[in-house]
Amino acid sequence: MSLIERQIDVTYRHQVRFTQQVFSPDNLTLRNTLTDEKTGRKHKALVVMDEALCRAQHGLVEHVRVYFERHSDRLNLVCNPMQFEGGERTKNSYFHVSEIHSKIEMHHIDRHSYVIAVGGGALLDMVGLASSTAHRGVRHVRIPSTTLSQADSGVGVKNGINAFGKKNFIGAFAPPYAVINDFDLLSSLSGRDKRNGYIEAVKVALIRDREFFEWIETNAKPLANFSQEPMRQLIHRCAELHINHIATSGDPFEFGSARPLDFGHWAAHKLEQLSEYRIRHGEAVAIGIALDVVYTRRTGHLSAAAADRILTLLESLGFELFSNELLHESESGTLQVLNGLEEFREHLGGDLTITLPLNLGQGFEVHEMNLPIVVESIYELRDRQAGREQLVIPAQA
C-alpha cells in the first residue's frame, strides 16, 4: 500500500460592511465591494429580492435599477431583479433554486460575476445555495434585511433549504464574497420581526461575552421599544462575535460534532417544524434557550440566580418562553420535541453535542441529555408562562 497525503490550507476573506441607504446612487459601498479599480473590469450582477421587502419599501426595486444605471461603467444588471417570497416557505422546495440557476445560465453569470441577495435569512439561505452550486460557486453578496439576518444568519457561511421535513437538510458551506448590512432596510419590519434578531445576540453573549450580556440587560427597555441606536450596537456586536467565532474556532465548516452557536437550536428547529413555521425562528430559539437554561439549572450546572436573570431578560425583550408545541405527543405518547435531539445529532453527523450555559458568558458541552429532566423543564416553562398570564389578566381588566 502507498499513500500520498498533503495538508491543504484554504484561506478566504470574510467581510461585513455597515452602511445606510446602500442603493442610494451616491453611496459607493456596493460599487466598491463589487469592483476593483485596478483592473477596470465590468462585472455582471443578478439581483434576487424578498417580495415582502419590496412591497414594504415602495420604490426599492426602482432604486436598485437606478443604482446600477448610475454605475453602468463598471456594473451590469443583467435583468430586472428577481423576486421571491421570504420566510421559511421559500426554503421548502428546490424549485426556486432551479429558477435562479436558470437565470445564471441564461445571462452567462460566471465566477467573476455576482449573485446579490436582498432579504431575510431564509431567502439568503436559498439564494446562497443556488450561488454555491452554479459553476461550483459564483460570487455571492448578501444584503440582509432583517435584524436576525444582519446580526447572525446573514453573516455566516452556511446555505441551505429544507427537505424530508428537516431544516437545512440540503445545503453547502460557502462563504459569501461580502455581506453588506444596511440599517435602513430594517425600518419597515414589524415589531415581531425586529425582536427576532435579539435572541441571537442573547445566545452568543451567554456563551461568549458576559459584558455583552450585561449590556443587553442594561438596554433591555430601549431595545424592547426598538430604539435605533441600541439596535445598531446590538447588531454590530452580535455580527462581530459571530465572525470572530468563524475565524477563530478552528472548525468553520463544522467537520467536528460541536456547534456552539446553535445553543438553544435543537428544540428550536423542531418547534418550527411542529408549528408548521407559525413560530418564527427567533421565537423558537428563545424557547429553546429557555428550555436549555432551566435544564442546566435543574442538573446543577447553572446557578438559580443566573438562570433567573436569563429568563427575565428574554421576557423583558418581549419573548414568550413556552409554546403548546412543546407538549405535542407522538402516537406512542412521547413528546415530539424530543425527536429534535436525534435530528440535531444526525445533522451534525457525529456524537450528540449540545452547548449549555455554565455561567453568564461561558458555555460548556454535553453529549447526552437526561430526558426526564428535559420533560420536567418543559412543564416548568409551561407553569411560568401560566403564572405570567394570570398576572396580566387582572391588570388588563
Side-chain angles (χ1 to χ4, degrees):
M1 173 183 173
S2 63
L3 171 69
I4 299 174
E5 181 176 327
R6 300 289 186 273
Q7 180 69 32
I8 301 174
D9 296 319
V10 179
T11 61
Y12 62 91
R13 180 182 65 168
H14 194 17
Q15 55 178 323
V16 181
R17 302 189 177 195
F18 294 83
T19 189
Q20 291 184 248
Q21 298 183 10
V22 65
F23 294 116
S24 171
D26 295 329
N27 186 334
L28 299 182
T29 302
L30 181 59
R31 174 193 168 108
N32 291 344
T33 300
L34 305 183
T35 63
D36 184 348
E37 295 300 332
K38 295 179 181 179
T39 65
R41 179 173 182 160
K42 188 171 182 177
H43 294 272
K44 294 180 180 179
L46 172 68
V47 175
V48 184
M49 304 183 72
D50 189 313
E51 283 180 347
L53 175 68
C54 296
R55 288 194 303 267
Q57 300 204 8
H58 182 70
L60 182 60
V61 175
E62 184 60 25
H63 291 160
V64 172
R65 293 195 194 101
V66 170
Y67 187 92
F68 280 87
E69 287 174 4
R70 171 72 72 86
H71 301 287
S72 59
D73 60 320
R74 303 298 305 279
L75 301 173
N76 173 22
L77 183 65
V78 297
C79 63
N80 288 329
M82 301 178 74
Q83 294 185 42
F84 295 98
E85 67 173 329
E88 204 66 24
R89 287 179 58 185
T90 201
K91 293 175 58 174
N92 287 339
S93 168
Y94 198 80
F95 180 72
H96 294 328
V97 175
S98 295
E99 286 186 278
I100 296 171
H101 282 162
S102 177
K103 288 289 187 181
I104 289 173
E105 191 280 330
M106 179 187 303
H107 294 288
H108 306 290
I109 299 293
D110 59 29
R111 291 172 60 83
H112 293 278
S113 304
Y114 296 92
V115 175
I116 302 170
V118 187
L123 182 89
L124 301 182
D125 272 356
M126 184 272 290
V127 179
L129 178 62
S131 302
S132 65
T133 50
H135 297 300
R136 300 191 182 96
V138 298
R139 296 180 181 182
H140 175 46
V141 174
R142 297 175 181 164
I143 304 181
S145 66
T146 63
T147 312
L148 194 151
S149 57
Q150 289 194 4
D152 184 85
S153 60
V155 302
V157 298
K158 293 182 281 191
N159 310 279
I161 61 172
N162 308 326
F164 307 109
K166 296 178 181 178
K167 191 174 175 74
N168 298 321
F169 184 84
I170 299 173
F173 289 95
Y177 184 83
V179 180
I180 300 176
N181 276 347
D182 178 356
F183 190 77
D184 288 345
L185 291 178
L186 308 181
S187 62
S188 57
L189 291 176
S190 67
R192 182 184 184 187
D193 287 324
K194 287 179 180 177
R195 181 182 301 111
N196 268 346
Y198 293 171
I199 194 61
E200 301 292 354
V202 174
K203 172 202 72 177
V204 73
L206 269 174
I207 61 172
R208 285 286 188 266
D209 189 338
R210 182 186 181 114
E211 183 178 343
F212 185 35
F213 178 87
E214 292 174 341
W215 180 90
I216 299 172
E217 275 189 315
T218 300
N219 290 275
K221 186 173 181 179
L223 286 168
N225 292 327
F226 310 116
S227 298
Q228 292 195 4
E229 189 53 35
M231 284 182 65
R232 283 194 188 95
Q233 293 179 42
L234 178 141
I235 289 170
H236 192 284
R237 181 56 179 159
C238 186
E240 182 179 27
L241 287 170
H242 194 112
I243 294 298
N244 288 348
H245 173 79
I246 293 171
T248 64
S249 72
D251 190 21
F253 302 128
E254 298 176 4
F255 290 113
S257 296
R259 192 156 62 179
L261 294 188
D262 270 355
F263 162 47
H265 283 57
W266 74 263
H269 287 170
K270 196 62 184 176
L271 285 174
E272 289 180 83
Q273 297 164 13
L274 291 173
S275 72
E276 297 182 343
Y277 299 98
R278 175 188 60 80
I279 301 175
R280 307 277 178 87
H281 180 69
E283 296 163 344
V285 173
I287 295 170
I289 287 176
L291 176 58
D292 283 348
V293 165
V294 172
Y295 174 87
T296 312
R297 191 207 71 222
R298 281 180 169 268
T299 55
H301 294 97
L302 182 69
S303 72
D308 189 63
R309 283 178 67 180
I310 297 165
L311 299 179
T312 299
L313 175 58
L314 295 179
E315 291 166 338
S316 298
L317 293 172
F319 291 104
E320 293 189 356
L321 307 186
F322 175 80
S323 71
N324 288 327
E325 283 77 6
L326 284 171
L327 297 179
H328 284 189
E329 295 182 350
S330 64
E331 292 181 358
S332 64
T334 60
L335 297 182
Q336 289 180 288
V337 71
L338 299 179
N339 295 330
L341 286 167
E342 174 57 24
E343 291 178 11
F344 195 73
R345 183 206 63 76
E346 181 181 313
H347 191 60
L348 289 173
D351 296 329
L352 176 67
T353 304
I354 302 290
T355 298
L356 297 173
L358 185 62
N359 203 340
L360 301 177
Q362 181 182 4
F364 75 108
E365 294 174 355
V366 299
H367 299 289
E368 60 181 4
M369 297 281 278
N370 185 309
L371 296 186
I373 297 180
V374 174
V375 173
E376 290 172 4
S377 302
I378 289 173
Y379 282 103
E380 180 177 328
L381 289 178
R382 182 200 63 178
D383 294 343
R384 183 184 179 100
Q385 180 72 14
R388 284 175 56 81
E389 291 172 354
Q390 288 175 358
L391 290 173
V392 170
I393 291 173
Q396 291 178 339

